[in-house]
Amino acid sequence: MILSLLKQKPLIYFLFYLTFIFSFIFGENSSGGSLNDSLIMQTYQDQVGANLQNGIMFFIETKMVHSPVFYIIKSTLENFLNKLTSDLIFLTLGFLIPIIFYSILKKQFRQLDKNLLFAISLVLYFSPYLRSSAVWATNDNLGLLFFVLSLSKLLTFTKKKDNSLKDIFLSFFYLIIATYIRQYYIIIAVGYVVLLFTKIDIKTFFYIIIFNSFLLIPWILYSYNYLQFNSEYAIKGFAKPDLTFGFLVFFTMYLFYIFPFFFQSVNYVKIIKFYNDKKIFFFIITIIFILIFFYYDVPQNEYGGGIIYKIAQLIDFKLFFIFLSYTGAILILITINLNFKNLLILFLLCIMFPFATIYQKYYDPLIIIIFFGMIKSNLIYENFNLKKINFTFIFVYFLLFLVSANTYYLKIV
């Protein structure tokens, strides 16, 4: 029934854009941090707007982990136009992300019903983090926008028989821009290089390395100066890694975002079959998580960790959190094809944020985009192909998440 309602795509986009306008007018802050980030970063924006060189040094000297590039762009827009017009531009750019994601889905799943793919793309409009970043003009959405543009070009290159090298260079160009806005996209660039190694000749591969190295020179120089000035802070402060905790959080994020697409009674039989075929994998993962439960102290952080981590803090914290992390790890085994490409992508996605505090916004809606845009999953594809997807459940699930986020942060404000 829902798929039949999705044929009027322009009308649906218009209605969703209206929700963005309403959110802008009423100041939606469903991520909890976008409003605060916007207020804090205004000082930094004013600094780079007044004097570029001094502003960049202000970022470094005050240990600001955000890249100054977005705030240079934002300051320039506001100076040439005005703040309201600039904010509406960033609002619209955030709105465009699911539209580009839809084009990615059409390239990735050429044989599937376009209305079904359109429905998947609309899920992104329920993201509290995409919406809040659009409303408060933070740097998250602009980085994500260039990432989805990059992924779209990458798929154009890999999916077409008559592919053009222009597409692959454009893909890296967009990804490097995303890296200048949000530094963690450099990890995705590493993944691109590894995955393309066997798909292009050595001469082209060499040109790509030179091309990327040239584009990244300013980024490398800035990162070098930042680390020199803040070496102790970078090692012992915000970037103090806890890889075990990072993996546990990632597994809960995967469970939270991918479970709704997997939730079907028909998958029960597939789970049993998979278990019988892959008992050794289940056994190894179970042993690992038992050891983690008995020998690892899960950090009790006031901030970050994601929704499952927050819920766990309200009940039997360690048991609940590790059990759902374990469930997320098992879900990965069940839903993805176990090959080098998929495991590499998920590993890179997991280590993108080696911080002491990991916020849910880092993975929302990035994990959905990467799962459907880069990961190969025969199980999910088969469910989609047979139209055994409960979109009513999916939309209600993510709508409830959005409503709950708004309600929660309205209360604490």
Side-chain angles (χ1 to χ4, degrees):
M1 178 181 175
I2 287 183
L3 293 180
S4 64
L5 298 175
L6 298 175
K7 295 180 180 179
Q8 302 297 324
K9 294 179 179 59
L11 175 61
I12 292 172
Y13 279 135
F14 174 72
L15 293 175
F16 270 109
Y17 189 68
L18 284 181
T19 70
F20 271 58
I21 295 296
F22 289 139
S23 294
F24 181 78
I25 293 171
F26 293 105
E28 179 182 338
N29 187 38
S30 49
S31 72
S34 294
L35 169 58
N36 194 45
D37 286 349
S38 177
L39 295 174
I40 292 172
M41 296 310 298
Q42 186 62 49
T43 302
Y44 291 87
Q45 181 181 323
D46 293 341
Q47 289 288 330
V48 293
N51 184 290
L52 181 59
Q53 184 175 352
N54 291 342
I56 291 175
M57 283 307 302
F58 184 70
F59 269 78
I60 295 174
E61 291 169 358
T62 57
K63 302 179 177 65
M64 173 47 64
V65 297
H66 286 213
S67 162
V69 171
F70 173 78
Y71 303 97
I72 296 170
I73 296 170
K74 190 178 178 186
S75 175
T76 304
L77 271 178
E78 290 184 8
N79 289 338
F80 274 97
L81 302 170
N82 55 64
K83 179 170 172 51
L84 176 60
T85 305
S86 172
D87 286 348
L88 287 173
I89 288 173
F90 286 115
L91 183 83
T92 304
L93 291 177
F95 174 79
L96 292 177
I97 291 171
I99 298 176
I100 301 170
F101 181 47
Y102 176 45
S103 73
I104 288 172
L105 293 172
K106 289 190 291 185
K107 294 173 184 178
Q108 182 78 318
F109 305 103
R110 294 179 181 275
Q111 307 303 320
L112 295 184
D113 184 342
K114 298 299 185 290
N115 289 328
L116 182 150
L117 300 177
F118 179 60
I120 298 171
S121 71
L122 294 179
V123 168
L124 268 59
Y125 284 127
F126 297 102
S127 163
Y129 304 91
L130 184 143
R131 297 180 69 89
S132 294
S133 179
V135 168
W136 295 103
T138 62
N139 60 358
D140 308 271
N141 277 357
L142 191 62
L144 186 62
L145 176 69
F146 279 102
F147 169 65
V148 292
L149 286 171
S150 167
L151 183 54
S152 179
K153 285 298 179 182
L154 179 70
L155 290 175
T156 300
F157 176 81
T158 57
K159 296 292 183 178
K160 282 187 176 181
K161 292 181 180 179
D162 55 340
N163 51 25
S164 168
L165 288 178
K166 179 185 74 173
D167 293 317
I168 198 60
F169 280 98
L170 272 175
S171 176
F172 275 103
F173 177 71
Y174 291 140
L175 189 57
I176 296 304
I177 295 177
T179 300
Y180 274 97
I181 297 167
R182 296 292 291 186
Q183 300 95 313
Y184 48 71
Y185 285 108
I186 192 66
I187 299 295
I188 300 295
V190 173
Y192 276 17
V193 170
V194 173
L195 295 175
L196 285 169
F197 183 74
T198 58
K199 295 182 179 295
I200 54 179
D201 59 76
I202 191 66
K203 182 179 178 181
T204 303
F205 184 79
F206 177 75
Y207 286 149
I208 288 173
I209 298 297
I210 297 298
F211 177 74
N212 290 337
S213 300
F214 177 76
L215 291 180
L216 284 170
I217 288 174
W219 183 85
I220 293 170
L221 291 175
Y222 177 83
S223 300
Y224 175 76
N225 286 317
Y226 183 93
L227 292 172
Q228 261 204 329
F229 200 91
N230 300 296
S231 57
E232 185 174 349
Y233 173 71
I235 295 171
K236 298 182 180 179
F238 77 95
K240 181 182 178 181
D242 183 344
L243 290 180
T244 302
F245 182 63
F247 274 90
L248 292 175
V249 171
F250 173 75
F251 292 145
T252 64
M253 296 289 185
Y254 188 92
L255 174 67
F256 182 80
Y257 288 105
I258 305 305
F259 171 75
F261 299 96
F262 174 77
F263 181 72
Q264 292 290 328
S265 58
V266 296
N267 285 332
Y268 176 75
V269 176
K270 297 176 183 177
I271 293 173
I272 299 301
K273 182 179 184 305
F274 184 88
Y275 173 76
N276 290 329
D277 293 340
K278 307 289 183 179
K279 286 182 180 179
I280 184 64
F281 289 100
F282 279 88
F283 177 75
I284 292 172
I285 289 179
T286 301
I287 294 298
I288 291 173
F289 273 86
I290 289 174
L291 292 174
I292 289 173
F293 179 77
F294 284 107
Y295 296 104
Y296 176 72
D297 292 326
V298 179
Q300 285 273 13
N301 296 334
E302 182 180 359
Y303 301 106
I307 186 171
I308 291 178
Y309 180 79
K310 292 298 185 187
I311 295 173
Q313 288 180 318
L314 301 175
I315 51 180
D316 191 339
F317 172 61
K318 187 173 184 179
L319 177 62
F320 182 81
F321 179 67
I322 291 183
F323 174 74
L324 289 185
S325 296
Y326 168 76
T327 306
I330 294 299
L331 187 64
I332 289 176
L333 277 183
I334 295 170
T335 52
I336 74 167
N337 296 357
L338 297 178
N339 56 44
F340 172 76
K341 176 188 172 183
N342 285 346
L343 294 176
L344 173 67
I345 292 169
L346 289 181
F347 176 75
L348 293 176
L349 185 57
C350 188
I351 65 170
M352 277 177 74
F353 313 106
F355 311 134
T357 303
I358 302 172
Y359 292 99
Q360 184 145 351
K361 75 168 187 173
Y362 297 155
Y363 287 110
D364 183 319
L366 180 64
I367 198 167
I368 294 177
I369 293 170
I370 287 183
F371 180 81
F372 289 106
M374 300 183 74
I375 298 291
K376 182 74 173 177
S377 171
N378 287 343
L379 184 146
I380 297 294
Y381 181 86
E382 182 182 337
N383 286 347
F384 283 169
N385 193 39
L386 298 175
K387 297 186 178 179
K388 294 185 179 296
I389 298 293
N390 189 342
F391 275 104
T392 300
F393 174 76
I394 292 171
F395 285 135
V396 169
Y397 179 93
F398 285 106
L399 178 60
L400 283 175
F401 176 45
L402 176 61
V403 172
S404 300
N406 273 287
T407 304
Y408 176 78
Y409 287 112
L410 277 175
K411 284 183 178 181
I412 66 173
V413 169

